[in-house]
Amino acid sequence: MKIIMLGAPGAGKGTQAKRIAEKYSIPHISTGDIFRANIKNNTELGQKAKTYMDKGELVPDELVVDLIMDRFKQADAANGYVLDGFPRTIPQAEALDKALEANGESVDFAINVEVPDENIINRMGGRRACVGCGATYHIQFNAPKVEGICDTCGEKLILRDDDKPETVKNRLSVYHDQTQPLIDYYNKKNVLREVDGTQAMDDVFKAIVDILG
Ligand SMILES: [Zn+2]
């Protein structure tokens, strides 16, 4: 089962990808992990990727696809995988499809975890992080015992810049510009499945399992 996860930052697709991987015994593959592993093991592809990253440049799509295809060859991916964080753009999706087609393969499902922007902005805006130990809380879903104070170390809790509404709005706008076209792309290929990501996490997962069978 070859699965691609789509969804805005903060929609919870990473969490769902992990649960899919567990239930179906397939690896959860994120490009960040692949980069780190290849650079750590000093592979040829890792060295190539590092020359771009050291210069602060984006790793070209073809190289990212090479790294991903290389990861797919590992034994644990024999029955498929759930790919998280890639592709993000149409050229990336096309490059991935081309590489898969060369092996006579294709994507089985592109799962889009749908959450309206307003919900994401509210969710992120409720997050709090401890300045002392880094523990994270949520004023609604995982509140500290005393408002604004860390349960573990007693330090102050703050709203991180990353979670501020303006930052989240900017990230979402980049996401929509780049990734929305992917939804049409996979829809045309008949592999797109939409899931309501505003539900409780267990219900989102149940909906995904209903799709995957
Ligand atoms: Zn703390």
Side-chain angles (χ1 to χ4, degrees):
M1 196 149 34
K2 301 176 188 70
I3 304 162
I4 285 173
M5 296 303 289
L6 299 174
K13 72 178 156 62
T15 309
Q16 297 299 334
K18 267 187 211 119
R19 295 184 66 172
I20 294 169
E22 239 167 68
K23 180 168 170 76
Y24 294 95
S25 303
I26 52 178
H28 169 210
I29 299 179
S30 84
T31 43
D33 292 343
I34 298 179
F35 282 169
R36 276 189 288 277
N38 276 274
I39 289 169
K40 191 172 154 239
N41 298 327
N42 206 21
T43 67
E44 205 188 317
L45 290 171
Q47 286 173 8
K48 272 193 205 168
K50 198 169 177 295
T51 58
Y52 291 97
M53 292 160 82
D54 285 346
K55 282 185 279 184
E57 290 172 12
L58 282 178
V59 179
D61 290 345
E62 287 72 23
L63 181 52
V64 181
V65 170
D66 283 349
L67 282 158
I68 290 172
M69 294 306 289
D70 182 65
R71 176 66 184 85
F72 288 172
K73 280 189 214 135
Q74 288 176 29
D76 64 340
N79 295 322
Y81 40 79
V82 49
L83 190 55
D84 178 14
F86 190 92
R88 288 183 202 274
T89 63
I90 293 281
Q92 290 179 349
E94 287 172 346
L96 177 66
D97 275 347
K98 212 174 123 199
L100 287 173
E101 271 161 30
N103 296 344
E105 298 176 347
S106 61
V107 169
D108 296 310
F109 295 103
I111 307 271
N112 181 30
V113 181
E114 254 195 321
V115 178
D117 285 2
E118 278 312 303
N119 295 41
I120 293 176
I121 293 162
N122 285 339
R123 271 188 203 178
M124 306 295 266
R127 303 214 308 203
R128 295 292 181 271
C130 172
V131 294
C133 69
T136 54
Y137 298 85
H138 194 285
I139 53 171
Q140 215 182 329
F141 308 117
N142 177 29
K145 291 193 186 82
V146 181
E147 197 187 319
I149 302 292
C150 179
D151 290 353
T152 315
C153 74
E155 285 281 353
K156 206 172 77 174
L157 301 180
I158 56 154
L159 174 62
R160 281 186 297 219
D161 285 343
D162 264 8
D163 296 333
K164 284 180 179 158
E166 274 317 301
T167 318
V168 176
K169 266 182 210 162
N170 286 337
R171 256 202 322 262
L172 286 170
S173 137
V174 171
Y175 168 78
H176 288 304
D177 288 347
Q178 286 195 332
T179 310
Q180 203 72 35
L182 280 184
I183 290 166
D184 303 325
Y185 178 87
Y186 286 114
N187 194 19
K188 278 195 195 117
K189 296 202 171 251
N190 257 330
V191 294
L192 181 75
R193 303 290 185 276
E194 312 242 24
V195 177
D196 175 3
T198 63
Q199 310 172 81
M201 255 189 307
D202 285 347
D203 293 328
V204 177
F205 186 59
K206 200 172 162 288
I208 293 174
V209 171
D210 283 345
I211 291 166
L212 301 178

